[in-house]
Amino acid sequence: MSVTVFSVIDSGIVGVRTDVSERVRLAQADSGEQPWRAWGPYLAERAWGTVREDYSEHGTAWDYFPHDHARSRAYRWNEDGMAGLCDDRQTFAFALALWNGKDPILKERMFGLGGDGGNHGEDAKEYWWYQDSTPTHSWMRWRYHYPQAAFPYDQLVRVNGARSRNEGEYELVDTGVFDHDRFWAVTVDYAKAGPQDVCIAITVSNRGPDPATLHVLPTLWFRNTWSWGLPNRHEPTMTGTPGRLAGEHRSLGHITLDGQGAPVALMCDNETNAQRLWGLPGRSPYPKDGINDHLIHRTPTVNPAGTGTKGALHYRLWMGSGETRTLRLRLTQSDRPLPPADLGDGWAEVIRTRHAEADEFFDEVLPEAATDDEKEVARQAVAGLMWGKQFYHFDVKQWLRGDPGNAPPPPGRRYGRNNGWWHMNSFDVISMPDPWEYPWYAAWDLAFHCVSIARVDPGFAKGQLTLLLREWYMHPNGQIPAYEWSFSDVNPPVHAWAALQVFKIDGSRDFDFLSRVMHKLLLNFTWWVNRKDVGGNNVFEGGFLGLDNVGPFDRSAALPVAGVLEQSDGTGWMAMYALNLLDIAILLSRHDRAYEDMATKFFEHFTYIAEAAYRQGLWDEEDSFFYDVLRLPDGHRLPLKARSIVGLLPLAATTRLTSETLNRLPEINARVRWMLHHQGEFGDVISARRLGGADRRQQRLLSMVGQDQLLRILARLLDPEEFLSPYGLRTLSRAHLEKPFTVSLGGSDFTVGYEPAESTSGLFGGNSNWRGPVWMPVNYLLVQALREYAEFYGDDLKAEYPTGSQCKRGLGEIADDLSRRLIGLFVPDSEGRRPIYGATELFQTHPDWKDLIAFPEYFHGDNGAGLGAWHQTGWSALVLDLVFNLRSGPAR
């Protein structure tokens, strides 16, 4: 598509640029021709309470840098804000600030409870949505609902702090501040006229019954890199005049924010208010909170000279009930000062054209067979993933030793959190699970993100998977960093699986990407084998493996008794890892026969792991289930018979060897035959040959379960009284509601019971729950595994679905129905209600709320209500890929 839009060029003259549809922009960004990804929503929504900003002795991040400090204290490693935009080095940051005239502070960032906030801490207590974004961020939309009454900060803290774990969360909507529609609906649209030229529309609507005033403060500032005593750190400058903020930076050049009309420019410095926080003199009389104090308390804390490193354009809007206004702004970068930007017809054309191009892009990308509701969910899932990309800066060595301009950190830090990761130096845009609750990457979350991102931007997805394997991330010993709270924690090894998915989504042609990933994953696989198989017996440990409180005790802590916990999920993950590397080696062998040796190696490794799961007692023949087993020093084995997702994950370890592969790779063919002939115990994990697949060729199935075990596990998996819920698969059998599993160890009892919603236990922090709710990532893997089994068995194998219904269906048909259940969490049901919003009528029926879709972290095991982190689009966005798999290709 060829279009004409307006763009500010270096000379400051309005020019013309054509052929810039989203497809073209993506190609230009991937090739390096145009830096379309250079600016994006890379500003975190929370930097306070993070590990990077924590310089305490004992790692008490929430206490060391609380929300109350955020407006007054300069951040060391990154910045935060609402509806934020910045460059990919976060040299500058732009965000929205609001004031309703009643709050005690400016609304510059989202509020929520820290980890010390009592019942269900680490939770945002505001309502905002990522409504739209193209992959290059050429078009973005963000929405926020801001109460007109004073924001109930103290009430939210007090009530939640007083509630027990047996009571539900106390949310903002429960305070009554949205009664009678007394709120402002605020929408921010971004449209790029060029890579560093963005038109911004801030649309404000008074939804309340009475006239009201809203202060709107679009804010521009420089990240503070100059106050820490490091060499060659230049302090930039910014000047404010009516309707304009003009900044100058040594590396950035000129950055200018022009605003419609003549709003007053308020200027201060992005410096800590040391007087307010500690009673000490600060570096500037006009510190970071200077605009806040000037507006709310009328103090002389903005610079009368109109200069600083942080500035805001102050709009005061008096609006009648139902009235809507749009403010026009434009943010540009150049190598020289620019004349006033076009905020008239040219601005409007950019907004209109970019929005139309976004519609065109998604019409082309999303499956034609998907329903309108499914397409809307998929598009907002993409938006959440795009808005979840954050600039992440963390030099761990510098963090551990402290900055020369600050007091040295406490000595204990040298032996505390992340002290073994001194090599790590992050300075990248990375996909985060959630910009507020999880404003730091997590390795296994990221792998799932990339599968969905690849549907719209495979180049970025491949870059993300490669990034975490680079030498400044991966530990020299081969471990992939888990997340900043503890890089040494162990996440499930899903990187190889994600690389395969992204490779296939991208057309199965980028063998260079696959090869680069393979080389680094060999190091990581070796780390797993050397570090997480204590007994050298091919069954694995790993700790909590991302499943938090799934077991009766904390699997990452010291065991209650002496022994080793051999894990069914850890063993299943490693069997799946071996098969993923086998598949990658087979693909790469098409171009380099040397990879055939690797394929043989990983084929054998898989068979050893799968066979050991049975030989070492992880499989319980009587219960037809895999369990964790506690191996005691005297050799006795104690199975922990809690039926959970731990025992289902071995199902995901499966792949097919086609006759084409076996004929092309004679070494692996010969090894399969040898194993079957000389090692008869492997017959259950290497199936007999049968016709299968779309071409009906001979193939073999490699799986941790044979046909008999598969059907027996499926009888539990598909039982509504166990794992099958109306909205997917529960993470713990519902049978444990009436019969919790209890084990006595070391004189204490440890119990796991079915809890479909929030956890009532503080185990592993208590902020997420794997004892019954529906979690999208493991559901996705199991649905994908069922499709793999269906490709092999075809219609010859059927299972009762649901268990007890006496209705048998093929495994592909079951996978389709499970997909529909998971998609059904988000789309309106026959009564127009979205299950994710539960019983909250405001979200279910109000026209201003009901079509704004959130992507919660996990879901109630019985009714599908959204739980946990409310904006955890990351792996909940897998619903996007479920829509693709269900609605693309030939009808089943």
Side-chain angles (χ1 to χ4, degrees), residues 97-103 105-106 146 213-215 217 295-296:
L98 303 168
W99 187 46
N100 58 16
K102 299 174 183 175
D103 284 352
I105 58 175
L106 279 183
Y146 181 36
T213 297
L214 180 67
H215 299 258
L217 297 101
L295 188 63
I296 295 175

Side-chain angles (χ1 to χ4, degrees), residues 61-77:
W62 294 103
D63 290 333
Y64 182 81
F65 204 132
H67 176 266
D68 184 56
H69 285 201
R71 70 183 182 276
S72 304
R73 189 166 165 183
Y75 294 121
R76 169 63 178 87
W77 296 99

Side-chain angles (χ1 to χ4, degrees), residues 124-172:
K125 296 298 180 185
E126 308 237 22
Y127 302 118
W128 73 100
W129 299 263
Y130 312 115
Q131 286 193 273
D132 214 356
S133 180
T134 57
T136 66
H137 313 296
S138 60
W139 167 259
M140 299 189 295
R141 174 168 286 174
W142 176 95
R143 174 75 171 259
Y144 173 55
H145 288 176
Y146 181 36
Q148 293 180 348
F151 195 90
Y153 292 103
D154 294 340
Q155 184 181 355
L156 288 165
V157 172
R158 184 180 67 257
V159 175
N160 277 291
R163 288 194 172 188
S164 72
R165 291 192 179 275
N166 294 314
E167 298 174 273
E169 296 182 63
Y170 186 67
E171 301 287 15
L172 182 59

Side-chain angles (χ1 to χ4, degrees), residues 506-657:
D506 190 37
S508 299
R509 58 181 178 266
D510 192 347
F511 290 94
D512 178 66
F513 158 70
L514 212 55
S515 178
R516 292 181 67 197
V517 168
M518 179 70 162
H519 291 160
K520 292 299 182 68
L521 289 177
L522 292 174
L523 300 174
N524 181 245
F525 187 87
T526 303
W527 177 86
W528 270 90
V529 171
N530 290 338
R531 297 294 184 95
K532 295 302 174 182
D533 178 9
V534 171
N537 55 11
N538 289 305
V539 294
F540 289 82
E541 300 83 45
F544 83 115
L545 285 176
L547 306 186
D548 293 18
N549 64 350
V550 72
F553 46 79
D554 185 348
R555 299 192 302 172
S556 278
L559 296 176
V561 294
V564 175
L565 183 66
E566 296 180 332
Q567 298 176 211
S568 282
D569 55 338
T571 304
W573 286 123
M574 282 302 289
M576 175 179 156
Y577 198 177
L579 289 180
N580 296 150
L581 293 177
L582 166 65
D583 286 338
I584 292 175
I586 288 172
L587 286 165
L588 292 173
S589 71
R590 294 180 180 274
H591 299 271
D592 186 343
R593 289 297 295 270
Y595 285 101
E596 184 175 358
D597 293 345
M598 289 190 186
T600 305
K601 180 262 189 298
F602 288 111
F603 161 72
E604 289 204 13
H605 214 123
F606 162 74
T607 60
Y608 297 150
I609 295 171
E611 185 273 336
Y614 292 90
R615 177 168 42 83
Q616 299 294 333
L618 301 185
W619 170 257
D620 189 293
E621 181 66 20
E622 181 180 357
D623 287 2
S624 301
F625 210 76
F626 289 98
Y627 294 121
D628 282 353
V629 172
L630 185 58
R631 177 163 54 86
L632 302 174
D634 62 3
H636 180 70
R637 296 177 182 276
L638 176 65
L640 304 179
K641 294 190 174 185
R643 291 201 295 276
S644 74
I645 195 68
V646 165
L648 298 177
L649 282 169
L651 292 177
T654 183
T655 194
R656 289 171 293 131
L657 293 177

Side-chain angles (χ1 to χ4, degrees), residues 696-865:
R696 304 302 296 167
R697 291 186 179 183
Q698 281 197 351
Q699 54 182 338
R700 289 185 184 274
L701 183 74
L702 303 182
S703 174
M704 280 192 70
V705 295
Q707 181 174 326
D708 176 62
Q709 288 96 339
L710 175 62
L711 288 173
R712 290 160 69 186
I713 295 175
L714 288 180
R716 294 196 184 280
L717 181 75
L718 306 177
D719 186 345
E721 296 304 314
E722 291 219 36
F723 290 98
L724 182 65
S725 89
Y727 303 102
L729 300 170
R730 305 177 177 106
T731 53
L732 188 77
S733 171
R734 202 174 188 278
H736 289 306
L737 176 64
E738 299 296 332
K739 295 180 180 179
F741 168 74
T742 300
V743 61
S744 296
L745 298 169
S748 299
D749 290 340
F750 300 89
T751 299
V752 177
Y754 175 71
E755 299 180 80
E758 296 94 346
S759 173
T760 61
S761 165
L763 189 67
F764 209 89
N767 292 306
S768 66
N769 182 27
W770 288 82
R771 296 182 172 188
V774 172
W775 286 77
M776 187 65 74
V778 289
N779 268 262
Y780 182 88
L781 287 175
L782 292 172
V783 167
Q784 189 182 52
L786 285 174
R787 296 202 188 284
E788 191 72 18
Y789 291 119
E791 286 291 319
F792 181 75
Y793 290 111
D795 292 333
D796 295 340
L797 185 65
K798 296 181 183 291
E800 191 177 31
Y801 183 74
T803 300
S805 67
Q806 299 185 342
C807 174
K808 292 204 169 183
R809 299 190 187 185
L811 301 188
E813 191 178 358
I814 292 171
D816 283 351
D817 190 69
L818 288 173
S819 297
R820 282 189 284 268
R821 291 177 186 233
L822 292 162
I823 295 168
L825 286 161
F826 300 92
V827 299
D829 60 18
S830 58
E831 297 179 356
R833 301 175 70 87
R834 300 183 195 269
I836 56 168
Y837 287 140
T840 307
E841 289 302 310
L842 183 68
F843 296 160
Q844 293 287 16
T845 59
H846 196 291
D848 272 327
W849 299 74
K850 66 184 182 66
D851 293 325
L852 300 171
I853 304 170
F855 292 84
E857 186 178 9
Y858 55 98
F859 311 90
H860 194 290
D862 293 333
N863 62 36

Side-chain angles (χ1 to χ4, degrees), residues 219-437:
T219 305
L220 180 68
W221 70 100
F222 292 111
R223 181 167 63 91
N224 190 329
T225 60
W226 56 85
S227 294
W228 319 113
L230 302 175
N232 301 317
R233 293 299 196 271
H234 170 70
E235 184 171 350
T237 60
M238 187 181 298
T239 301
T241 55
R244 168 169 275 212
L245 301 175
E248 186 175 354
H249 190 280
R250 177 178 293 176
S251 62
L252 189 69
H254 293 266
I255 183 86
T256 307
L257 178 68
D258 286 294
Q260 179 184 24
V264 174
L266 303 176
M267 304 300 301
C268 65
D269 290 307
N270 187 13
E271 299 279 4
T272 296
N273 186 343
Q275 183 65 44
R276 172 184 177 254
L277 296 177
W278 305 298
L280 300 173
R283 288 171 52 92
S284 170
Y286 314 110
K288 179 179 175 179
D289 54 11
I291 297 172
N292 174 91
D293 292 352
H294 173 77
L295 188 63
I296 295 175
H297 305 298
R298 302 185 182 279
T299 57
T301 48
V302 294
N303 191 342
T307 61
T309 53
K310 175 184 176 182
L313 299 179
H314 179 204
Y315 292 90
R316 185 180 185 276
L317 305 181
W318 170 256
M319 296 171 59
S321 174
E323 185 178 353
T324 297
R325 293 190 198 175
T326 296
L327 304 177
R328 297 185 176 193
L329 301 106
R330 195 157 186 165
L331 184 65
T332 54
Q333 178 187 343
S334 66
D335 62 1
R336 69 196 68 179
L338 295 177
D342 177 6
L343 295 172
D345 293 342
W347 179 95
E349 179 67 8
V350 172
I351 294 283
R352 186 198 64 78
T353 302
R354 290 298 184 248
H355 193 183
E357 288 173 351
D359 290 342
E360 176 192 22
F361 175 77
F362 285 107
D363 284 346
E364 177 187 341
V365 168
L366 298 177
E368 185 178 356
T371 68
D372 289 344
D373 285 329
E374 289 169 347
K375 289 179 180 178
E376 186 57 34
V377 168
R379 185 163 174 173
Q380 290 194 43
V382 171
L385 288 167
M386 297 299 103
W387 280 89
K389 291 163 29 176
Q390 308 286 285
F391 169 77
Y392 188 83
H393 185 201
F394 194 14
D395 181 339
V396 177
K397 185 177 181 180
Q398 185 72 50
W399 177 77
L400 286 170
R401 69 186 182 190
D403 295 312
N406 285 7
R413 283 169 57 83
R414 285 180 251 165
Y415 313 102
R417 174 178 289 135
N418 295 330
N419 69 86
W421 290 79
W422 51 267
H423 73 284
M424 204 167 90
N425 191 340
S426 306
F427 195 82
D428 300 284
V429 172
I430 306 181
S431 177
M432 306 293 171
D434 176 281
W436 196 97
E437 274 135 283

